[in-house]
Structures are given as C-alpha cells and as structure tokens.
Amino acid sequence: MTREEALFRAVLRMGDNNLVLGHRLSEWCGHGPVLEEDIAQTNIALDLIGQTRNLLTYAGELEGKGRSEDDLAYLRGEREYLNVQLVELPKADYAFTIARSFLYDAFHLPLQQALTESRDEHLKAIAGKAVKEVTYHLRHSSEWLIRFGDGTEESHRRAQEAVDELWRYTGELFVPDEAEELLAKDGTLPKLTDLKAEWSATVDRVLNEATLKRPADGWMAGGGKKGVHTEHLGPMLAEMQILQRTFPGVEW
Amino acid sequence: MAKDQQEALFQQRVDDEQKIEPRDWMPDEYRKTLIRQISQHAHSEVVGMLPEGNWITRAPSLRRKTVLLAKVQDEAGHGLYLYSAAETLGVSREQLIDQLLSGKAKYSSIFNYPTLTWADIGAIGWLVDGAAIMNQVMLTRTSYGPYARAMVRICKEESFHQRQGYEILMTLCKGTPEQKAMAQDALDRWWWPSLMMFGPSDKDSPHSAQSMKWKIKRQSNDELRQVFIDRTVHQAEYLGLKVPDPKLKWNEQTQHYDWGEIDWTEFNEVIRGNGPCNRDRMAARRKAHADGAWVREAALAYAGKQAKKKAA
C-alpha cells in the first residue's frame, strides 16, 4: 500500500465514521425527548456532516479519479464503507444514543486534537475547526450520561445496559489497519494506542461520576474498518442513497 | 379603576401603537386569544418538523442534507421562542404541550399533508414558508411585545427557508423531465392547501374582527391571501410550472389575479382530524413525549441531587 492509498483510506474512514453517526443522530430530529435535545442532536449531526463533507472532498482529491463528496457518500455500497461498527448501530433508546455518542466522542476529541499537529496540512486545517465542535459533543454526551447514571433508577438501568451492550464495539476504534499503521509512522496520524490511554481515562472519569460500572474487556467486535459491517448499515445506506441510486447522474 | 375604564385605556394604548408588555393590564379575552394563537404557532413549528424530517435521511446530496437539517433545527428553535413568548402570558410549556397531545390545541393544518417526494421539500419551503412569512411579517407589528419580537427573529430565518425551497425547485425544473414532473406534482398537491393556510374567508372568520381591533392581526386573511397569490404566480411562471387553478387569470382592472374557489369542505375536514396525516403526526408527537418521559425525569432527579449537594 502506498502512502497515498493509505491516506485515501484513512481519510475516507474518518468521513464515514462521521457521516454514519451524523445520520443516526439526525434520525432523532422531530422525535427527541425534549425540544432542546432535538436542537442539540441536530446541531451535532450538522457538525459531523460538515466535517464529513471536508473529509470526503479531500479523499476524492487524494484518490484522483474525480469522485466528489457526493459520489463517495452516495455511490459506495456497504462493503466499501470503512466506518467502525459502533457508529452504525440503530439509534435505539436515548440512553443508547447518548452512551454511543459518548464512547465515540471520547475517541474523536483526542483524535482531532492530535490531528492539529499532523504533518498533513489538509487534515490539520480540518482538525483546527473540528476540535471546537467535538469538544462540545463530548461535553454534551458526558453531561447526559452523568444525568442518566446518577438520575433515576430507570435512567441508571438504561444507561448501564447501553454501556454494557456497546462495550464490545469500542475495541475496533483502537485496532489500526494497515493504512493507519503506515500513517502513524510518519506523523500523519496519531498512534491509536496513544489515543486509547486518553479515551480510557475519559471513560473512567465520566462513568465514575455517573455511578456506572465500566464493563470488563471481553470479546470485541470488528470488521467495519475492512468493510465488513453489521446488518444495520445496508438498510441505512439504502435509505440514504435512494434518490442518487434511482436517478443516476442527476443534479439535485 | 373600573373595568370599562381599563379597557378604554388599553384600547387607547393599542390605537397609539404602544406595545403591550407582560405586566401590563390586558383584557382576559386578549390574553386568551394570544395564548391560543401563540401556542398554536409554536405547535405548528414543532409538528412542522415531522413532514420535513421525513426527508432528512433521504436528502439527495450532503449539501441538501445540511441545509435541511439546519432548517428543521431553526423550526425547533422557533418553537422554543414561541413557547417562551406564550409563557409570558402565564401558562407553562408543559400545559401547552398537554393541550397539543390531548388534541385540545390546534396546529397549522398544512402539516397534515404528506411529503411524498423530494420536490415536496422544495414546495414546503417555497409555498408553505412563503405563506407563513406573509402572516409573520404582519405579526412583527402585532400589539403584544414579546410576540412581535419573537417574530422579528423568526422572519429573518424564514425568508432563508423560502429561498432554499425555491432553489430546490429551480434545480428540479432545470433537470430531467422526471425531475420537472416531480416539481409539478408537488405544486399540484401543495397549492390549494397553501392558500388554505391564510384561514377562512374574512366573512367566515370568527376571531378576525376583534383581533384586528386589538391589532393582534393587522391585515385580513383575504388580503394576505391575495398578495401571496399575486406574488407566487410569477414565481411559478419563472419555474415553468403550471398553477393548478383553471380560473386563474390576471385582472387588468383590479391589478390582481382572479382565481378559483378553495374547497372549504376539505379545509374543515382536515381541521376536524380527517387530513391524510393527522393521526400520524399526533402519534409521532405522543410517542416522542412518552418515550422521553424517563429522560425528563432523570434530568429533574439529577438536578435535584445536585442542588441538594450544593446546599449541603
């Protein structure tokens, strides 16, 4: 794998992670538990999709085959999507949505912080803006997870169940693929093992304040980074891509 | 002071174009009318998120998706300002939401029509927001201060919504025959319901005369509807679309369009709950509220614990 190929793959993955999570969050729009949360989740979805647009545009340039952000978002099938499985799981209840966002945000923030020092100027520029946004995302998801953990008996139970259920999907965040390994060597990307230490500290701090238990590390799911997904991604993409697939080559 | 004297003073202030503020004396009927109207407006923003939200996950490009998300988010924000404006009149948001969910309070009937294709998202921006703006611009000069000020903010965002809707349709009309047919179909379905948004004809509008006297309203339903038609027909021509009204014709004498007859039976049926989506809309709002109950309880319980800790 050349450096260009590796960078294309890594940038695509960052875009896919954000797009898929942004899609799941946007599913709450109009259905949130309180109007303020409709606004907050929409806002976060907007940030994530905004970052996606920059990342996919850049990926298209790296690839050099003339693919636009929309070609990459709308015309790849599920086996070509490289996101981690964590972000594609259905939104379920609000505890699940919050816990999933928290586990991702706690990874996403140190990633973006590290990218502000990337040797890749483009990623550096994207990260410069994203850090502010993702700082807010992590604050939002942490605060709600703490409210749930330390709220009522029911909210505590739901939050603990969500964290337990999601735990097996967190391992994949920190297992580098060939591209990520290559790019960590020359300072384009941070080492995922370094991010794990910071993620783990954030998780401990927030779970502790939320009076929730950190699950033991058991079997971890994986495959998303290679394009092997859960059964949930296909239907999500089918919905997202319907107009582009039904009317190929048309301007919208 | 005697009540009729207070009423006379109140009317004098309204006639002098002074804004009425929350602590001022006001007739009970004025207060009731405003609570009804502002909460209905707030509910419309919130229910209105549903038909457009229906297309967020299917928006055909990342740019369109972003714009639509931002638009629906604005609507949630408008709902919040309007609930706050209503709260200045002495009702709580909880009470108002209960009235919506129990079916006691109304919301704009337009949102009981379905969004079946992507062109409907364009038509809602162009026609529905376009019609809403006519009303809202008038309301920036309404006599009740908090309502007027909320409207100033809302109007700025709504005109952006209308432009983005029109732009969606422009793109479709410049596109393939299938896309243009999609746009025409959307206009065919949304035209008459949009005209109904201005409410019953003046002669059949039960609250209109008093609202005009109190300057809650400043233009009649029929006046606003005519301005909307005159303006919108040109925009349809520019798109190359045909307005679905065989009686539509420019009248040199009046310098306005003559037009056909609204189907008031349909209008009344939709208000009564028999529109295509009334049940779905209410079911979605009730489900969101019921599913969110434990979330709201948890937030309260946590805030209570924190307050206790602080006090200790």
Side-chain angles (χ1 to χ4, degrees):
Chain A
M1 185 180 286
T2 65
R3 186 174 175 280
E4 279 63 39
E5 283 163 357
L7 192 53
F8 169 65
R9 227 179 137 73
V11 173
L12 203 52
R13 162 151 329 114
M14 290 187 237
D16 290 350
N17 279 338
N18 286 349
L19 177 56
V20 173
L21 183 58
H23 184 106
R24 288 302 186 208
L25 295 180
S26 77
E27 291 173 341
W28 281 101
C29 193
H31 307 278
V34 50
L35 204 45
E36 284 82 350
E37 281 305 284
D38 277 80
I39 296 177
Q41 294 294 7
T42 311
N43 207 13
I44 295 168
L46 271 168
D47 287 343
L48 291 172
I49 293 170
Q51 292 167 21
T52 301
R53 295 184 63 193
N54 290 327
L55 289 162
L56 293 187
T57 301
Y58 182 38
E61 288 165 15
L62 287 164
E63 189 193 34
K65 291 182 185 165
R67 286 206 276 181
S68 67
E69 59 179 51
D70 287 332
D71 292 336
L72 288 168
Y74 289 90
L75 301 174
R76 277 182 302 143
E78 61 178 295
R79 292 284 285 110
E80 297 162 280
Y81 262 75
L82 301 178
N83 58 280
V84 293
Q85 293 180 354
L86 175 71
V87 294
E88 75 204 34
L89 303 170
K91 75 186 203 316
D93 71 0
Y94 209 62
F96 190 89
T97 284
I98 288 291
R100 181 243 303 272
S101 283
F102 168 69
L103 293 169
Y104 180 74
D105 299 340
F107 155 81
H108 197 201
L109 181 59
L111 171 67
Q112 293 300 335
Q113 282 167 336
L115 287 173
T116 60
E117 286 163 29
S118 169
R119 61 170 269 196
D120 185 281
E121 287 302 321
H122 220 110
L123 285 179
K124 204 170 158 171
I126 294 172
K129 180 163 178 273
V131 163
K132 284 179 219 135
E133 295 170 347
V134 182
T135 302
Y136 161 70
H137 303 172
L138 178 59
R139 196 176 75 212
H140 177 262
S141 58
S142 301
E143 284 175 357
W144 274 101
L145 194 60
I146 292 166
R147 275 186 202 117
F148 289 162
D150 196 16
T152 62
E153 222 169 279
E154 181 180 5
S155 68
H156 180 90
R157 175 182 57 75
R158 286 176 184 261
Q160 187 66 59
E161 279 173 12
V163 170
D164 292 349
E165 177 64 28
L166 285 158
W167 197 254
R168 63 174 51 204
Y169 295 97
T170 59
E172 192 184 9
L173 289 166
F174 305 103
V175 181
D177 69 353
E178 197 190 330
E180 287 164 334
E181 227 158 56
L182 194 77
L183 295 165
K185 279 187 193 142
D186 69 5
T188 306
L189 294 187
K191 277 206 186 78
L192 292 182
T193 42
D194 294 349
L195 296 185
K196 172 127 193 207
E198 201 166 328
W199 177 83
S200 200
T202 308
V203 168
D204 282 339
R205 177 176 57 74
V206 172
L207 289 185
N208 185 42
E209 200 179 336
T211 70
L212 293 168
K213 283 199 196 73
R214 178 176 173 137
D217 282 347
W219 183 84
M220 288 287 173
K225 288 187 172 186
K226 291 194 301 248
V228 179
H229 292 279
T230 65
E231 287 182 349
H232 306 295
L233 184 65
M236 193 203 100
L237 292 180
E239 181 177 354
M240 185 178 102
Q241 298 176 339
I242 184 165
L243 283 173
Q244 291 263 358
R245 299 283 195 182
T246 311
F247 304 96
V250 159
E251 284 293 314
W252 296 97
Chain B
M1 203 187 294
K3 201 168 166 224
D4 50 352
Q5 224 177 330
Q6 276 177 317
E7 265 174 31
L9 268 174
F10 173 85
Q11 189 60 52
Q12 191 56 53
R13 289 191 60 190
V14 169
D15 292 343
D16 291 347
E17 299 291 339
Q18 288 178 35
K19 290 282 178 249
I20 306 301
E21 296 297 336
R23 284 158 193 235
D24 296 341
W25 186 89
M26 60 186 86
D28 286 345
E29 257 324 292
Y30 178 84
R31 184 184 299 275
K32 263 201 234 158
T33 302
L34 276 169
I35 291 175
R36 182 172 47 77
Q37 188 174 330
I38 300 173
S39 67
Q40 207 165 309
H41 196 159
H43 299 327
S44 301
E45 297 282 357
V46 173
V47 176
M49 294 167 73
L50 297 169
E52 294 185 286
N54 181 36
W55 280 90
I56 288 174
T57 55
R58 289 179 290 168
S61 72
L62 293 180
R63 182 173 80 86
R64 294 285 183 207
K65 193 188 286 289
T66 311
V67 174
L68 183 57
L69 265 169
K71 175 174 195 275
V72 181
Q73 187 190 33
D74 285 347
E75 274 144 22
H78 298 172
L80 277 186
Y81 319 150
L82 287 162
Y83 283 127
S84 303
E87 282 182 322
T88 62
L89 292 158
V91 285
S92 71
R93 186 161 135 198
E94 268 307 297
Q95 284 172 299
L96 296 175
I97 290 174
D98 285 346
Q99 289 172 2
L100 171 69
L101 300 181
S102 69
K104 195 180 154 221
K106 301 279 182 226
Y107 54 88
S108 177
S109 272
I110 194 76
F111 300 120
N112 289 319
Y113 290 86
T115 50
L116 303 176
T117 74
W118 173 249
D120 291 12
I121 298 303
I124 287 187
W126 173 37
L127 300 173
V128 174
D129 292 325
I133 290 170
M134 306 282 318
N135 215 2
Q136 288 167 346
V137 166
M138 168 187 80
L139 289 170
T140 60
R141 297 188 300 122
T142 194
S143 56
Y144 187 58
Y147 193 23
R149 290 189 288 274
M151 276 308 140
V152 171
R153 257 176 102 171
I154 289 174
C155 278
K156 282 186 195 149
E157 291 173 350
E158 290 290 353
S159 61
F160 156 74
H161 296 170
Q162 193 194 13
R163 277 203 303 277
Q164 68 80 35
Y166 193 70
E167 204 235 316
I168 288 176
L169 290 174
M170 285 246 278
T171 309
L172 294 177
C173 289
K174 281 193 284 187
T176 64
E178 275 165 313
Q179 284 178 303
K180 189 153 186 194
M182 207 185 263
Q184 181 65 56
D185 169 58
L187 175 57
D188 291 347
R189 283 182 289 110
W190 290 93
W191 174 257
W192 290 105
S194 299
L195 297 189
M196 294 176 197
M197 283 177 70
F198 295 94
S201 183
D202 299 341
K203 58 183 187 329
D204 305 314
S205 180
H207 308 291
S208 273
Q210 183 62 64
S211 285
M212 296 276 267
K213 186 166 173 235
W214 279 332
K215 300 197 179 183
I216 295 175
K217 272 173 85 123
R218 314 189 67 125
Q219 281 163 293
S220 78
N221 295 351
D222 288 332
E223 274 167 37
L224 288 171
R225 189 163 19 233
Q226 186 67 52
V227 178
F228 175 77
I229 292 170
D230 290 346
R231 187 180 295 177
T232 310
V233 168
H234 291 292
Q235 295 167 349
E237 278 167 6
Y238 188 77
L239 292 170
L241 296 178
K242 194 171 172 342
V243 172
D245 179 354
K247 292 191 178 150
L248 189 78
K249 205 177 157 221
W250 178 250
N251 183 327
E252 268 303 327
Q253 248 177 352
T254 60
Q255 289 291 300
H256 292 293
Y257 279 94
D258 293 336
W259 51 284
E261 181 67 23
I262 287 176
D263 181 354
W264 294 111
T265 315
E266 175 179 325
F267 175 80
N268 289 318
E269 282 303 328
V270 179
I271 288 183
R272 255 182 237 128
N274 298 323
C277 299
N278 299 56
R279 286 162 175 275
D280 290 345
R281 300 295 183 239
M282 288 310 293
R285 286 316 310 160
R286 286 188 187 121
K287 182 173 188 313
H289 194 73
D291 289 353
W294 70 267
V295 175
R296 297 188 299 274
E297 281 159 19
L300 274 177
Y302 177 76
K305 286 184 195 176
Q306 290 304 103
K308 244 190 209 164
K309 267 189 208 163
K310 239 187 187 170

